[in-house]
Amino acid sequence: MRLVWLALGWAAGIVLARTAHLHASFTAYAALVALGALLIAWESRWRWGYIALLAACLGAWRVASLPNHAPISAYHQQGGIALTGRVASPPDLRDAGQQFILDVESLFDGQERAIRGRVLVQVARTEDVRLGQRVRVGGLLYPPGQSDRFSYADYLARQGVSSVLPDAWLEIVDAEAPTTLTGFLADLRQDAQAIITRALPDPLAALLVGILLGNEQLIDPALDNAFARVGAAHIVAISGFNMMLVAGVAQRLLNQITGRARLSALVAIAFVLLYTLLVGGSAAVWRAALMASLLIVAPLLGRKTFLPASIALIVLLLSLENPLVLWDLGFQLSLAAILGIVVLAEPLSIGLRNLLRRIMPPRRANQVVAWLNEPIAVSLAAQALTAPLIALSFERLSLVSLPVNLLVLPVQPYILMLGGLAVLIAPLAAPLAQVMLWCVGLLLSWTIQVVRAFAALPWADVVWSPSSWLVAALFALFGGWIIMNATEPKAWRRWLSFVQRRALVVGVSSSAALVSALLLAVALARPDGLLHVWFLDVGHSNAVLIQSPQGAHILVDGGRYPSRLLTAIGDRLPFNKTHLDMLILTQPDEQDQAALPALLARYRVGLALTHRQFNISARQQAIVDGLGETSLIPVWVGYRAELSDGLSLEILHPQAQPIGEDLGDESLIVRLRYGEARILLLGDASIKAQEAVLQAQVAPSAQVVQLARHAGRDSLHKTFWALTGAQLAVVQIDPANRLGDPQPATLALIGETPLLRTDQRTTIHLWTDGQTLWHDAP
């Protein structure tokens, strides 16, 4: 189990360094200190604790030493460029085009420069490009973006990709691609895909290509969503569960033929490796293959400690090569599925067998269990641990997963076997392969019809948004339980014995501890007498959360990403608070308010202040409906809200008379006052709005100013800025915005004033006692 402690320390160090943004030099120094402590305490009983600490420091150094920016990132949004390099991934065909990863060798922006980096290139579907070719592409280079629940930038970073080149032109420099195993296998996959698409219509062909070859891009989005909704997405994805089906089929057939378990296991592992190569051998597929191989080998060794130690070794090896793999959802799901299968599948199978033996003869019960083991016991075990991760990422929980898997999983091995065999013999016996694929088509049709029927049910899934801390605690408890049961230390055995003998005492003590923890959490959530302002990281949108000194919460706009807004609010409001005291709607732009209907479904609002513009869109109506009976008060210059704790909100704009047709012309400008502190929120206020404030002779003075319109083009009035007397500027920016914000001309207006940006520091937190102002940026 020593390997487990090493892996835990290593992973903890990676997570800590990534979360706390630790510097590489600091982590290296910490590793040297830990090494010195280990040498001093080598003969101590705590030696392995020091080794785990050293592993944590080394893990922190490994992730902290990763380059923050590739050199090619300096050319983001800097005008048209041309890149020369080799195609590093098989082209990924999509409805609107195709994309591939380019290993860049040189860049031309007026002169040729040698430069290294990886870029995701998106070109027309008609371009004939192949893996390994040397090509020249051109266009505008952008950073990868981030949606509501998915960071495309992080996903590409795990593949070493730092930039995206959309709508690129392409020129083949060297059409002859080097002969490599990867290229050969890519050609095999294309040939196999062509055989399938010629033999079967869609969606059958698309689904078989996804199941057999791991290419899910051909599947209709509506059907793909139906698989996700009913909890059957694992059938299509190349995951540890999918690999386990392949290995299980091969192993069972070989056991029946040879009767030799070890030989069958070795051949099954070889089969998994061949399948891995066939479907592309990406990092995610290799992870799944390693997990499936672990499942094959573990029962043969008969050691309870093998499983946690083996998983620890896999985590160490994969994160040593790329520490960011710990944040990869595919890795997390594969790991969770394997843990669930190994730990829970056997108890569930035994329970199912005992249940069936009560209603039928033992022999028949064993036969039924053998048939139902994968669709019920194995599937339920895998989904028991993957469901929290799926809910955390997608905020959905399937209620029909068990019956759907019971109906479709028994046919999946036959789809894999017959489909794979048909593709193999198609070049030699095309008519026989066609007949076999027709048979596979029947099984695919059954799978699709079952999925569609259950997905059509209005209660097929429900919204579930568990806290990330809750999910982490769940896996920590489960992992600790696995380790303790595998090692059975004396203290653990004594504890279990004590629990069995003193169940009542343990129950009362545990309840008292939970109540105490709850009371402590309530106490810690009490306001601290300071004004807190958070400029939330919600992309290229406006969302500001304010906490008054006595704990009133005010939200200004909300951005367009519901999940990001709900998470930001949930992280900062007390856990037992389900309402906002005030909501301020600065103007009816969906870019700033599209997330509010989802927020209003979860939180009540005491009072809503709004602009005078009435945009009768479906989204605005949804906001009005969500507010229910909450007072919606139009406000303009001169309105002032005074809170009992000394915080006041002043409206500086709009003026009494409308000044323009642009939404930003009438956008609310809000100033917060607490003691001597002034914070000015410009939101989306236009140049005209700022001029109107000046013409009305309203003094816009403030120590902190939120730059309007994300510091875009013509967004800041020079005189208005000068009259604020700002000592600090804040701007909310999406690092992948294609507008080029913040604009250099706008930044030039603020001169040497310190600027805090959400694209560099994520959410920005300011707090003040009315005299002194603090912020969390270095």
Side-chain angles (χ1 to χ4, degrees):
M1 294 302 293
R2 293 167 179 170
L3 196 57
V4 174
W5 303 120
L6 279 178
L8 288 174
W10 172 266
I14 290 175
V15 172
L16 176 62
R18 182 76 171 174
T19 305
H21 306 286
L22 299 182
H23 196 273
S25 58
F26 172 80
T27 57
Y29 177 76
L32 290 175
V33 173
L35 178 61
L38 173 62
L39 294 176
I40 294 172
W42 184 256
E43 300 299 329
S44 167
R45 59 181 296 189
W46 302 105
R47 177 177 59 186
W48 278 97
Y50 286 106
I51 292 176
L53 177 61
L54 176 60
C57 296
L58 292 174
W61 172 82
R62 176 69 182 91
V63 73
S65 61
L66 291 175
N68 290 326
H69 299 285
I72 201 169
S73 300
Y75 295 90
H76 287 166
Q77 302 175 334
Q78 297 299 310
I81 59 171
L83 303 173
T84 303
R86 289 202 178 271
V87 179
S89 69
D92 180 6
L93 295 177
R94 311 238 169 162
D95 288 342
Q98 59 180 319
Q99 60 185 32
F100 57 87
I101 294 175
L102 182 72
D103 276 336
V104 179
E105 300 169 354
S106 64
L107 178 148
F108 180 81
D109 63 343
Q111 67 180 48
E112 198 77 20
R113 310 169 188 272
I115 195 169
R116 296 294 176 181
R118 302 194 104 194
V119 174
L120 182 70
V121 180
Q122 299 169 343
V123 298
R125 190 182 175 94
T126 54
E127 297 285 1
D128 183 17
V129 58
R130 291 182 290 122
L131 177 69
Q133 286 182 330
R134 194 161 181 265
V135 300
R136 190 173 181 85
V137 296
L140 290 174
L141 200 65
Y142 293 98
Q146 181 171 339
S147 65
D148 190 10
R149 301 188 184 102
F150 178 69
S151 174
Y152 199 40
D154 290 346
Y155 170 76
L156 291 178
R158 290 191 284 271
Q159 304 175 58
V161 176
S162 59
S163 308
V164 178
L165 190 69
D167 303 320
W169 56 262
L170 180 141
E171 173 188 337
I172 304 295
V173 176
D174 184 0
E176 293 299 322
T179 302
T180 62
L181 177 61
T182 304
F184 174 72
L185 292 172
D187 291 339
L188 280 183
R189 287 194 301 277
Q190 289 183 354
D191 293 341
Q193 181 171 316
I195 291 170
I196 293 171
T197 53
R198 283 197 302 265
L200 294 173
D202 281 334
L204 305 182
L207 183 57
L208 182 58
V209 169
I211 293 174
L212 197 61
L213 302 177
N215 181 9
E216 306 170 41
Q217 299 302 327
L218 302 181
I219 300 175
D220 177 65
L223 181 59
D224 196 35
N225 182 64
F227 270 89
R229 192 168 184 225
V230 301
H234 56 81
I235 291 174
V236 182
I238 301 297
S239 61
F241 185 83
N242 195 297
M243 287 285 190
M244 191 202 67
L245 283 178
V246 177
V249 170
Q251 194 172 10
R252 281 198 302 272
L253 288 175
L254 291 168
N255 270 332
Q256 293 175 1
I257 295 172
T258 65
R260 300 173 64 184
R262 291 184 180 275
L263 176 62
S264 300
L266 291 175
V267 176
I269 291 174
F271 192 78
V272 168
L273 295 178
L274 289 175
Y275 181 59
T276 301
L277 292 173
L278 177 64
V279 299
S282 66
V285 175
W286 277 113
R287 291 196 300 267
L290 285 172
M291 299 290 186
S293 301
L294 175 63
L295 277 181
I296 298 171
V297 174
L300 300 178
L301 298 182
R303 294 175 56 197
K304 289 193 294 184
T305 57
F306 177 77
L307 172 68
S310 299
I311 290 179
L313 179 61
I314 290 175
V315 171
L316 278 172
L317 292 176
L318 293 175
S319 58
L320 181 65
E321 188 271 333
N322 180 9
L324 299 182
V325 74
L326 298 183
W327 283 267
D328 186 277
L329 181 60
F331 168 76
Q332 295 170 2
L333 289 174
S334 289
L335 184 62
I338 295 301
L339 283 172
I341 290 169
V342 175
V343 176
L344 301 177
E346 185 177 356
L348 288 172
S349 181
I350 292 172
L352 181 62
R353 181 181 295 109
N354 293 336
L355 178 64
L356 292 176
R357 282 179 176 177
R358 296 181 180 180
I359 58 177
M360 62 180 64
R363 183 176 179 183
R364 177 62 59 85
N366 291 338
Q367 293 173 343
V368 173
V369 169
W371 183 67
L372 293 179
N373 188 56
E374 283 177 359
I376 290 186
V378 175
S379 176
L380 194 59
Q383 293 182 61
L385 290 190
T386 56
L389 290 174
I390 293 173
L392 182 64
S393 300
F394 305 108
E395 299 185 346
R396 310 295 297 182
L397 178 66
S398 175
L399 300 181
V400 296
S401 176
L402 184 59
V404 168
N405 282 282
L406 177 62
L407 292 171
V408 302
L409 275 186
V411 305
Q412 300 312 305
Y414 301 102
I415 291 175
L416 286 165
M417 290 171 56
L418 287 176
L421 185 59
V423 170
L424 288 176
I425 68 171
L428 303 175
L432 178 58
Q434 178 67 74
V435 173
M436 294 174 65
L437 286 172
W438 282 339
C439 295
V440 172
L442 293 175
L443 302 179
L444 291 168
S445 295
W446 165 255
T447 301
I448 290 173
Q449 294 306 317
V450 169
V451 167
R452 282 176 170 169
F454 278 90
L457 298 174
W459 43 267
D461 62 352
V462 295
V463 175
W464 182 37
S465 305
S467 164
S468 57
W469 290 104
L470 177 63
V471 175
L474 172 67
F475 279 94
L477 290 173
F478 191 77
W481 182 72
I482 291 175
I483 293 172
M484 291 302 175
N485 277 279
T487 57
E488 293 187 346
K490 292 181 180 180
W492 176 250
R493 291 198 299 269
R494 286 197 299 267
W495 167 250
L496 291 178
S497 176
F498 176 77
V499 169
Q500 292 171 354
R501 289 184 287 106
R502 299 285 190 272
L504 180 60
V505 174
V506 172
V508 172
S509 301
S510 300
S511 300
L514 287 174
V515 171
S516 300
L518 186 63
L519 293 174
L520 178 61
V522 171
L524 293 175
R526 292 178 61 82
D528 56 6
L530 303 176
L531 170 64
H532 293 263
V533 180
W534 291 275
F535 296 86
L536 303 178
D537 180 20
V538 290
H540 225 57
S541 303
N542 184 44
V544 181
L545 178 65
I546 302 158
Q547 177 179 299
S548 76
Q550 290 186 4
H553 288 93
I554 302 165
L555 178 65
V556 182
D557 293 330
R560 60 192 177 102
Y561 295 132
S563 294
R564 291 167 71 175
L565 177 63
L566 287 169
T567 299
I569 297 295
D571 284 343
R572 290 163 180 86
L573 261 64
F575 70 94
N576 58 335
K577 186 170 183 177
T578 59
H579 73 279
L580 291 168
D581 299 275
M582 184 184 294
L583 175 64
I584 300 177
L585 307 173
T586 61
Q587 44 90 22
D589 187 352
E590 293 196 1
Q591 186 82 1
D592 291 329
Q593 298 177 6
L596 290 180
L599 177 85
L600 295 173
R602 304 276 288 277
Y603 292 89
R604 292 178 290 105
V605 173
L607 177 68
L609 305 184
T610 184
H611 43 78
R612 298 180 303 176
Q613 305 172 74
F614 296 97
N615 184 339
I616 313 177
S617 66
R619 188 82 65 179
Q620 289 295 309
Q621 188 59 50
I623 294 174
V624 173
D625 294 342
L627 287 170
E629 298 181 358
T630 299
S631 299
L632 188 61
I633 304 175
V635 295
W636 50 85
V637 62
Y639 180 90
R640 184 184 182 100
E642 296 278 358
L643 278 67
S644 60
D645 53 18
L647 173 65
S648 67
L649 291 84
E650 302 172 313
I651 303 300
L652 306 190
H653 186 75
Q655 307 306 308
Q657 298 297 324
I659 61 170
E661 297 181 357
D662 187 284
L663 294 180
D665 293 344
E666 298 296 315
S667 178
L668 297 186
I669 296 179
V670 183
R671 180 165 59 188
L672 307 178
R673 281 178 177 264
Y674 180 59
E676 299 300 320
R678 307 286 187 274
I679 299 175
L680 188 63
L681 307 179
L682 294 182
D684 227 26
S686 65
I687 286 281
K688 280 189 177 181
Q690 297 168 44
E691 287 178 345
V693 172
L694 298 177
Q695 291 171 5
Q697 297 184 349
V698 177
S701 59
Q703 286 89 357
V704 180
V705 175
Q706 175 199 33
L707 297 183
R709 300 192 167 197
H710 319 289
R713 190 181 309 277
D714 298 326
S715 63
L716 185 60
H717 194 285
K718 183 177 181 180
T719 305
F720 183 93
W721 169 258
L723 289 177
T724 65
Q727 302 167 18
L728 180 69
V730 176
V731 63
Q732 290 166 290
I733 293 287
D734 185 341
N737 82 86
R738 297 190 176 184
L739 301 173
D741 297 340
Q743 294 292 331
T746 303
L747 297 181
L749 286 178
I750 71 172
E752 298 299 321
T753 305
L755 175 64
L756 304 183
R757 302 168 45 161
T758 57
D759 61 332
Q760 297 176 348
R761 291 291 305 174
T762 65
T763 291
I764 296 168
H765 179 201
L766 309 178
W767 63 100
T768 178
D769 59 1
Q771 300 295 325
T772 306
L773 181 75
W774 300 273
H775 58 78
D776 60 354

